[in-house]
Amino acid sequence: MEGGPGLNPVIMEGPWGPIHAYGVLILLGMITAFPGIIVDARQRKLGSLFVVDFYLAIVIGGFIGGKLPLIGASGHPANPSLDLGWSNGFVFYGSVAGALAGLAWVSRRHAVPGVVLASLALCWTPLCHAFGRFGCFVAGCCYGAPTDLSWGTHYGPRSFAFMDPKLHPARSATHTLSLHPVQLYEMVGLLGLFGLLACVRVRRGPRNDILLPSLWALGYGALRLITEMFRADPGRSFLATKTWPNLANELALPPGQVVALSASQCISLLLMAAGAYGLWRVKTPPSS
């Protein structure tokens, strides 16, 4: 897959500056999830004011939470000025924490149990997140390691990948070397996770238990644990730098690719543990 003109992170130049595909896709994800959230809330007999507060809490909390980890950092190495707008991305796990903080406020304001809010939010999160990952793909951020696979992606001069100094020696004047489209790997996994959660939600109805949050935690934790192995973008922190040449060869990764253990993988393992425990709680009846 070629980058360059066919994969431009800027949709158009507007009167107030460039309009980035990443921000547009994030907004499209929010809009796409909104009708389902309204129907879900109505089935739970939650009013319109609740829906407004719920959505604002997620948007504002997710925005602030996703940007806070970037404050104090230098930003992208090729663009050290910190951009807190839509175009410069978010830390997803930070967005989740910020959204949960906002939902805690909604829970107190409307006297709605947290498990209801978690079920309502996390059922639709993968759909919105999939749009965001496609935005990452178009922008060339969160990019993958070099690969010789036929579906490797070349990013053009306006992408984050093209600006990464680590890739300079192997890039051409017009595009990067071939990279794993890890953003698309995660996008496909997120759509599959959304399909699973939606099917469970439709079949079971609006129950107030931890099944949906547990499925999301287990599913997304496993997905992120795997996709992190393919990523090569800078700025990630590692608790260990384990290389596994045989595994890297099987995954069409460079022999020196670090496959573990990033901070996101640690969080993913904790999510998986929490999800597995939640599923055990759902299946195990309370003792009398």
Side-chain angles (χ1 to χ4, degrees):
M1 290 181 284
E2 286 291 337
L7 197 61
N8 196 334
V10 177
I11 296 177
M12 62 179 294
E13 297 289 345
W16 299 281
I19 299 176
H20 293 265
Y22 178 82
V24 171
L25 285 163
I26 289 286
L27 291 173
L28 282 176
M30 293 177 180
I31 293 170
T32 302
F34 194 57
I37 290 174
I38 292 176
V39 172
D40 201 338
R42 285 179 177 174
Q43 289 181 355
R44 297 175 188 273
K45 303 190 184 306
L46 300 170
S48 300
L49 179 59
F50 166 86
V51 173
V52 172
D53 286 345
F54 174 87
Y55 219 69
L56 287 176
I58 288 181
V59 172
I60 297 173
F63 184 93
I64 295 174
K67 290 299 185 182
L68 279 178
L70 300 177
I71 297 176
S74 59
H76 193 279
N79 183 22
S81 61
L82 184 62
D83 179 5
L84 295 182
W86 290 99
S87 64
N88 207 34
F90 299 86
V91 175
F92 175 71
Y93 280 137
S95 291
V96 171
L100 289 176
L103 291 180
W105 171 80
V106 176
S107 177
R108 291 193 300 271
R109 175 175 168 82
H110 293 273
V112 176
V115 67
V116 175
L117 295 173
S119 297
L120 181 59
L122 293 175
C123 181
W124 296 93
T125 292
L127 177 61
C128 185
H129 194 185
F131 276 85
R133 279 303 182 219
F134 187 64
C136 291
F137 175 69
V138 176
C141 63
C142 306
Y143 50 86
T147 183
D148 56 2
L149 291 173
S150 59
W151 58 80
T153 303
H154 298 279
Y155 289 100
R158 303 190 75 170
S159 68
F160 283 100
F162 191 86
M163 294 185 288
D164 184 357
K166 290 193 308 181
L167 303 179
H168 286 184
R171 79 180 192 192
S172 72
T174 58
H175 57 75
T176 66
L177 69 167
S178 179
L179 303 174
H180 272 285
V182 64
Q183 312 95 322
L184 297 185
Y185 301 165
E186 188 166 335
M187 182 190 77
V188 172
L190 285 166
L191 291 175
L193 179 58
F194 169 69
L196 171 64
L197 295 175
C199 287
V200 171
R201 168 64 180 80
V202 170
R203 291 187 63 180
R204 299 178 80 246
R207 298 190 188 182
N208 299 334
D209 59 28
I210 59 173
L211 179 60
L212 288 178
S214 299
L215 287 173
W216 175 84
L218 185 60
Y220 183 70
L223 175 64
R224 186 64 179 268
L225 185 71
I226 295 170
T227 58
E228 278 285 309
M229 294 191 295
F230 292 88
R231 287 179 61 167
D233 53 302
R236 294 181 299 147
S237 58
F238 288 87
L239 277 72
T241 53
K242 173 65 177 176
T243 59
W244 198 339
N246 291 336
L247 177 61
N249 181 62
E250 293 295 326
L251 299 176
L253 292 166
Q257 174 74 7
V258 176
V259 296
L261 187 65
S262 71
S264 291
Q265 285 177 316
C266 291
I267 297 173
S268 298
L269 288 170
L270 293 175
L271 270 183
M272 292 174 66
Y277 176 72
L279 291 179
W280 176 78
R281 287 290 303 272
V282 170
K283 293 181 179 180
T284 304
S287 56
S288 55

